[in-house]
Amino acid sequence: LLADGARVFAVVRESPDLRSQAQGERVETVTADLAISGVARSLVDGLRPTHVFNLAGYGVDRSERDHRLAAQLNHRLPDELAQACSERGKSRGAVLIHAGS
């Protein structure tokens, strides 16, 4: 994406490691908690992307056992992103690429 000149945003939690990795690759970072309903829609509305790659997920690590977070990040978040991208797609061509469970 960067080689093709795309403007790339990475949504990260408050993690210094993720922020520094993204900045090292010329990616603009946005700090947000995708476990909060409505945050993803606000990001899509505010950033107005043409493509959204959903790489968020919960439960891969054996220590991640919060069923509420699993439901939000693995089920409700993809739905929220799909709806937000679909609404943008009617006039601006937003595409959702979902990788995960």
Side-chain angles (χ1 to χ4, degrees):
L1 293 170
L2 292 171
D4 286 340
R7 187 172 181 198
V8 178
F9 295 93
V11 177
V12 299
R13 297 172 297 216
E14 285 294 327
S15 171
D17 293 339
L18 291 175
R19 290 182 66 84
S20 64
Q21 287 175 358
Q23 290 171 350
E25 295 296 325
R26 300 183 332 265
V27 174
E28 298 177 58
T29 58
V30 177
T31 302
D33 186 352
L34 296 175
I36 299 172
S37 292
V39 168
R41 176 177 291 281
S42 294
L43 289 169
V44 171
D45 290 345
L47 297 174
R48 300 185 342 223
T50 58
H51 292 76
V52 174
F53 291 82
N54 179 26
L55 308 176
Y58 184 87
V60 175
D61 186 305
R62 292 188 187 276
S63 68
E64 297 177 333
R65 294 295 169 233
D66 184 322
H67 296 291
R68 183 194 65 79
L69 277 175
Q72 174 59 31
L73 292 172
N74 297 336
H75 301 289
R76 288 189 287 276
L77 174 62
D79 185 55
E80 183 177 328
L81 284 171
Q83 289 179 16
C85 288
S86 174
E87 291 167 8
R88 291 201 52 74
K90 292 176 184 171
S91 61
R92 294 177 188 90
V95 174
L96 173 62
I97 298 96
H98 175 73
S101 57

